[in-house]
Amino acid sequence: MQHCDTLIAPRWCIPVEPSGVVLTGHAVIVTDGKITDLLPIEKARQVYQPSVHIERPQHALIPGFVNSHTHAAMTLLRGLAEDLPLQGWLRDGIWPAEKRWVSAEMVRDGTELAIAEMLTAGITCFSDQYFFPEIVAETAVDLGMRAMVGTPVVEFPTSWAGSAGEYLSKGADLVHDPFAEHPLVSTCFAPHSISALSDESFTELRVMADQLDVPVQMHLHETTAEIAASVKQSGQRPCERLDALGLVNAALLAVHAVHMTDAEVARFAEAGVNIAHCPRSNLKLASGIAPVGRYRAAGVNVAIGTDGAASNNVLDVLAEIRLAALLAKVTENDAAAISAAEALHMGTLGGAAALGLAQTTGSITTGKYADLACVDLGSLNSQPIYDVVSQLVYTANASQVSDVWVAGKHQLDNGQLAHINTDELLERSNEWRDRMAGSSDDQAR
Ligand SMILES: [Zn+2]
């Protein structure tokens, strides 16, 4: 008998890679944080002596979801500015609140709340874009969550940095931060949007990203207003300007990409650009619906992001992939535009590939980290089960996520967060609510 740390025996195993495969009666073997075997359960019981044996008889085991774009700490701003279009939402709601409240303490508490919420929704990896990224990295490591941590870059001063040059040099330092060198963490540059930086700063950013070999994550073509403002300012659409600056390449994670011409989509496909599709945020801010069926057909990898909790308002990739599939059917006028299996791919391996982590996570593949989620399909709303993948995508909700492992660590155990004190987290969130709401009451008086 061979020793292993964990033997997980679900009813179904959906590895995502190879695509279209659903295994029944199989066990996943986890040793030292990695998936070390995937084999029929009878054989697994003959071969392996596990320290922990997990039976999940009415569940589907899937790769953990990858949230390819969020602003984790914005959970503390959830519900603060509602029912506004993007520019008004930013100008009148979010930016004043951030100016007043963003600090290392706020980012730590908000990121912790976000990680707890994401774990309960089956998310095992997130790509972040927010101030104090070193705190985001530290919090992810402390809580055992996988993260790609983005250094924000803008021209204006904030509580984290004073100028574009300072943001960039802090981003370069972040790559060598002890927490950012942890196996759970990777880093990227995250310029806010096309209007946020001068040509000189974008050029400096490109050189640094190339030298450090890190991706660039950026809101791009989110609204028609953004595109019009860019044309007015520079005579170029955002994609065009970015391309001229050498930033349209395989390291680019273009967030949103709601409004794209066919030529721009073809250019993205040719350059290997990845798109982070955030459908609920785009709907809530009335930005539009990204025609991702068309993007995928053109050969562009599409990942799924929740965006921040202030514009969603939940960090739930399972809900997001269902929405993505449904919206694609309408926008393409084709019920087959994105299938359930394709939606699941976008929320898992597509996300891992977009973050440059396809060798690390995103599928149940021997050698990858054991980043896994188990979904209970035994509940009434998922019955009867003709097709496991379609029941998962079209019927299941986050409350059916029973278990989550990140790098083999059992983070959600039978619906309970195993290593996070939920009561204490709720208390801190309420303290922030009182502080922020109290201050707006003061302002009102
Ligand atoms: Zn965003």
Side-chain angles (χ1 to χ4, degrees):
M1 294 286 265
Q2 248 175 277
H3 170 261
C4 70
D5 293 334
T6 310
L7 183 157
I8 308 166
R11 176 150 181 201
W12 300 280
C13 178
I14 307 169
V16 172
E17 189 177 44
S19 67
V21 171
V22 177
L23 302 167
T24 51
H26 276 61
V28 171
I29 305 297
V30 178
T31 309
D32 295 334
K34 296 204 168 165
I35 299 161
T36 48
D37 209 346
L38 172 58
L39 72 173
I41 183 69
E42 291 76 20
K43 192 160 181 217
R45 288 194 181 116
Q46 289 163 10
V47 174
Y48 291 102
Q49 181 86 55
S51 299
V52 179
H53 188 127
I54 308 269
E55 295 276 346
R56 292 292 181 262
Q58 55 188 20
H59 302 60
L61 186 71
I62 60 173
F65 290 114
V66 176
N67 185 357
S68 69
H69 175 72
T70 192
H71 312 276
M74 290 182 85
T75 45
L76 293 178
L77 305 179
R78 176 168 22 218
L80 199 68
E82 296 292 73
D83 304 322
L84 293 167
L86 179 66
Q87 273 315 311
W89 175 77
L90 284 171
R91 192 188 53 233
D92 303 329
I94 298 306
W95 285 340
E98 287 183 329
K99 194 169 179 198
R100 171 131 198 214
W101 295 110
V102 169
S103 63
E105 183 196 7
M106 180 266 189
V107 169
R108 185 185 308 276
D109 288 349
T111 302
E112 192 167 336
L113 177 61
I115 289 174
E117 180 186 358
M118 287 191 279
L119 287 170
T120 62
I123 297 166
T124 54
C125 176
F126 70 104
S127 170
D128 200 60
Q129 176 169 355
Y130 212 61
F131 307 102
F132 296 91
E134 71 280 14
I135 301 293
V136 179
E138 184 183 308
T139 308
V141 170
D142 282 351
L143 300 188
M145 181 67 151
R146 191 174 305 287
M148 181 170 86
V149 177
T151 297
V153 192
V154 289
E155 297 284 355
F156 58 83
T158 62
S159 53
W160 190 63
S163 65
E166 193 184 350
Y167 287 96
L168 288 167
S169 68
K170 281 187 146 185
D173 291 345
L174 180 67
V175 175
H176 305 296
D177 182 282
F179 290 104
E181 290 191 327
H182 191 280
L184 286 173
V185 177
S186 59
T187 65
C188 69
F189 282 107
H192 183 272
S193 55
I194 197 75
S195 62
L197 291 181
S198 66
D199 282 2
E200 293 69 29
S201 297
F202 268 125
T203 303
E204 201 180 332
L205 183 150
R206 178 181 57 79
V207 170
M208 291 174 86
D210 285 352
Q211 281 172 351
L212 296 166
D213 194 23
V214 295
V216 175
Q217 171 180 197
M218 171 177 167
H219 302 117
L220 191 65
H221 285 223
E222 182 173 1
T223 62
T224 50
E226 171 203 329
I227 297 168
S230 172
V231 170
K232 194 173 170 195
Q233 188 202 354
S234 67
Q236 292 170 307
R237 288 166 62 85
C239 272
E240 203 181 349
R241 185 174 161 218
L242 214 55
D243 207 0
L245 291 162
L247 279 154
V248 172
N249 55 44
L252 178 64
L253 176 58
V255 178
H256 300 305
V258 176
H259 306 280
M260 303 275 288
T261 64
D262 287 344
E264 286 162 348
V265 177
R267 176 70 187 114
F268 270 21
E270 175 198 44
V273 173
N274 296 278
I275 287 175
H277 177 39
C278 307
R280 190 186 299 252
S281 175
N282 297 152
L283 290 178
K284 186 152 184 281
L285 298 173
S287 303
I289 300 171
V292 293
R294 182 158 63 86
Y295 300 170
R296 283 175 55 92
V300 178
N301 178 47
V302 179
I304 294 289
T306 59
D307 214 351
S311 67
N312 187 307
N313 293 0
V314 288
L315 309 181
D316 179 353
V317 170
L318 177 55
E320 216 76 26
I321 62 172
R322 181 188 307 171
L323 182 60
L326 297 178
L327 288 174
K329 295 170 195 308
V330 173
T331 52
E332 306 297 313
N333 192 28
D334 175 5
I338 287 184
S339 67
E342 288 168 325
L344 181 60
H345 183 279
M346 292 197 298
T348 54
L349 190 55
L355 273 49
L357 297 175
Q359 303 304 315
T360 305
T361 188
S363 65
I364 302 179
T365 305
T366 302
K368 286 194 184 185
Y369 280 102
D371 295 351
L372 305 165
C374 213
V375 183
D376 183 353
L377 294 178
S379 56
L380 292 175
N381 57 295
S382 296
Q383 300 306 308
I385 297 173
Y386 298 108
D387 180 311
V388 181
V389 177
S390 91
Q391 294 306 67
L392 174 75
V393 173
Y394 295 131
T395 74
N397 54 61
S399 67
Q400 288 168 251
V401 175
S402 62
D403 297 83
V404 169
W405 293 262
V406 181
K409 187 171 178 182
H410 204 174
Q411 292 282 10
L412 187 74
D413 185 351
N414 252 326
Q416 299 299 315
L417 286 166
H419 308 289
I420 293 176
N421 183 334
T422 314
D423 290 340
E424 199 252 340
L425 191 54
L426 289 172
E427 205 173 297
R428 264 186 289 143
S429 301
N430 280 321
E431 281 169 17
W432 278 104
R433 194 215 71 90
D434 289 348
R435 265 196 254 180
M436 292 190 192
S439 104
S440 48
D441 291 347
D442 291 348
Q443 282 169 359
R445 277 197 286 273

